[in-house]
Amino acid sequence: MTVTPSDVDRLRRCVDLAREALDDGDEPFGSTLVAADGTELFADRNRVSGGDATQHPEFAIARWAATNLTPAQRASSTVYTSGEHCAMCSAAHAWVGLGRIVYAASTEQLGAWLLEWDAPAAPVAPLSIRQVAPGVPVDGPVDEFADALKALHRARVTRDAG
Ligand SMILES: Nc1nc2[nH]cnc2c(=O)[nH]1
């Protein structure tokens, strides 16, 4: 699929959630779950500052969808996210049978930024969603968000180094 103007609007909301997470001491990631009719069903942002590094919004979405949606509703919904799912969240997404993913910045972009800043890499292999969950339709990255997301991640790295 191609990325539509409506997809871009959804991603803008995810970047706002990522900014909210950063402002609250968490990592800058935000995600939403949107039903086939366009209703936003669930939204969350990263919440790792309490010490649980699995508190990713994409993982929260998979758990919420498993509890609250039928298999058909899950398959026809779309997950929007500011950063491409990590391997843990890609696996959770596929295991619960969710549908399309649209992401703003890729795992590859984030890895390159961390390298550029000499910041520690993630403790999980930088696999793409397509590698972990090959049956899931995926769109991204969306270039117009790269500068904004790079700035948010730079601020997180600077904060955590200080
Ligand atoms: N996509 C994504 N990647 C992460 N890497 C570390 N935390 C997160 C998160 O919340 N979401």
Side-chain angles (χ1 to χ4, degrees):
M1 261 181 102
T2 53
V3 173
T4 66
S6 153
D7 291 333
V8 171
D9 285 346
R10 302 283 185 184
L11 288 177
R12 200 166 290 118
R13 163 140 170 77
C14 294
V15 175
D16 287 345
L17 288 164
R19 191 171 297 110
E20 180 188 311
L22 179 74
D23 290 347
D24 211 27
D26 296 295
E27 296 175 337
F29 295 94
S31 313
T32 63
L33 175 66
V34 176
D37 69 359
T39 307
E40 183 182 286
L41 298 170
F42 187 84
D44 204 5
R45 42 75 157 190
N46 179 286
R47 298 180 187 278
V48 301
S49 64
D52 178 357
T54 70
Q55 294 274 350
H56 297 187
E58 303 95 324
F59 201 59
I61 283 174
R63 302 298 300 273
W64 185 91
T67 303
N68 294 286
L69 300 182
T70 65
Q73 288 170 325
R74 286 179 231 157
S76 62
S77 65
T78 300
V79 173
Y80 293 91
T81 187
S82 64
E84 183 176 6
H85 288 43
C86 72
M88 170 185 76
C89 296
S90 295
H93 182 103
W95 277 119
V96 303
L98 281 164
R100 178 179 176 231
I101 296 174
V102 187
Y103 64 83
S106 68
T107 296
E108 191 178 344
Q109 282 174 304
L110 179 56
W113 297 335
L114 294 176
L115 207 61
E116 179 186 327
W117 305 324
D118 231 358
V124 169
L127 301 174
S128 68
I129 298 166
R130 293 171 179 94
Q131 287 173 293
V132 177
V136 175
V138 182
D139 288 299
V142 179
D143 289 344
E144 69 181 84
F145 294 105
D147 289 349
L149 285 168
K150 187 174 183 184
L152 292 181
H153 284 283
R154 176 72 174 156
R156 196 281 297 167
V157 164
T158 304
R159 179 191 70 200
D160 290 359

